[in-house]
Amino acid sequence: ASNRLSTTYVTCATIKTTFRYISGRHAIGKTLSTAPGPKGLLLGQHLRPFGRRLSGRQPNAVAMRAVIQRVKSASVTVDGDEVSRIGAGVLCLVGVRVEDGPKDADFICRRILNSRLFTNQDTGRNWDESVVQQGKEVLCVSQFTLFNIMKGNKPDFHLAMGPIPARAFYDNFVKTLRDQYSAEKVQDGKFGALMEVSLVNDGPITIILDSEAPKG
């Protein structure tokens, strides 16, 4: 009986491994197995024809993402004109995913303002104070390329939110940062523009923030 079960039924572990394999933008173009899995489900029932997206959140695409760099200075130039500049603080590259909402934005905002990336000048303790505690500056730059899936040698960005809704979402995110910190200390690039971003990385220290990251 045990041999019969081992050859006929698919274990939960096998199904999870299979879903990781097919959970990109497209399902593979053939059925991996038609053997009945747990609770009588057929593995083949979970597959979709090639070229159709799988529904729901995709495991390889976390929600809103920000790459935070501690800097001594940073600036953004568009068409030869400098549009923003900060001194010591953090440069934040911000990516918005297609399914992001207010909770994602609030999480990333709080992390940017409260993450202890700076040394306490009084005690000499590293990783002790935030950008807010030290009164430093924040420069945000929108970057949809943070959500890419490589298809061969070509990046695909379908997981990023479209430009029209993303502009409104991003603008509101920057406004929230300014409301929670300081309008004067939070600068911005130019959404949708071809930007030249210059920075002097302090450390270098670079932190990746995901709004669906496990709590640590």
Side-chain angles (χ1 to χ4, degrees), residues 29-199:
K30 62 180 181 180
T31 300
L32 293 180
S33 172
T34 56
K39 298 183 180 179
L41 295 177
L42 294 179
L43 181 58
Q45 292 174 346
H46 296 284
L47 301 181
R48 298 292 185 269
F50 185 82
R52 292 178 60 187
R53 297 184 184 181
L54 295 175
S55 60
R57 285 185 179 266
Q58 301 182 42
N60 62 342
V62 296
M64 189 174 179
R65 173 170 290 167
V67 176
I68 313 301
Q69 295 176 293
R70 194 178 78 177
V71 298
K72 292 186 174 180
S73 64
S75 64
V76 176
T77 300
V78 177
D79 294 330
D81 296 324
E82 185 176 275
V83 298
S84 57
R85 170 176 290 274
I86 64 168
V90 291
L91 169 66
C92 308
L93 307 178
V94 180
V96 183
R97 197 181 72 131
V98 66
E99 295 181 7
D100 285 345
K103 290 184 178 180
D104 298 292
D106 183 65
F107 178 91
I108 295 296
C109 179
R110 286 187 285 108
R111 279 286 191 261
I112 289 173
L113 297 180
N114 297 322
S115 293
R116 296 184 294 179
L117 305 180
F118 297 89
T119 301
N120 187 316
Q121 298 302 317
D122 295 329
T123 65
R125 182 180 298 174
N126 293 325
W127 315 107
D128 194 49
E129 292 187 328
S130 68
V131 65
V132 173
Q133 289 174 302
Q134 294 207 351
K136 297 185 184 297
E137 297 178 283
V138 178
L139 173 57
C140 289
V141 176
S142 61
Q143 189 166 14
F144 70 92
T145 60
L146 292 180
F147 289 113
N148 74 88
I149 293 178
M150 296 303 296
K151 301 176 68 175
N153 292 323
K154 182 179 179 180
D156 178 273
F157 306 110
H158 77 271
L159 294 176
M161 187 178 290
I164 295 177
R167 180 187 293 272
F169 188 99
Y170 175 79
D171 287 347
N172 188 65
F173 170 77
V174 174
K175 180 181 183 301
T176 301
L177 274 175
R178 288 170 172 161
D179 290 344
Q180 295 188 12
Y181 183 26
S182 166
E184 292 75 24
K185 291 184 180 294
V186 177
Q187 302 299 317
D188 186 19
K190 186 175 181 180
F191 186 93
L194 184 61
M195 293 176 277
E196 296 177 10
V197 181
S198 301
L199 71 149

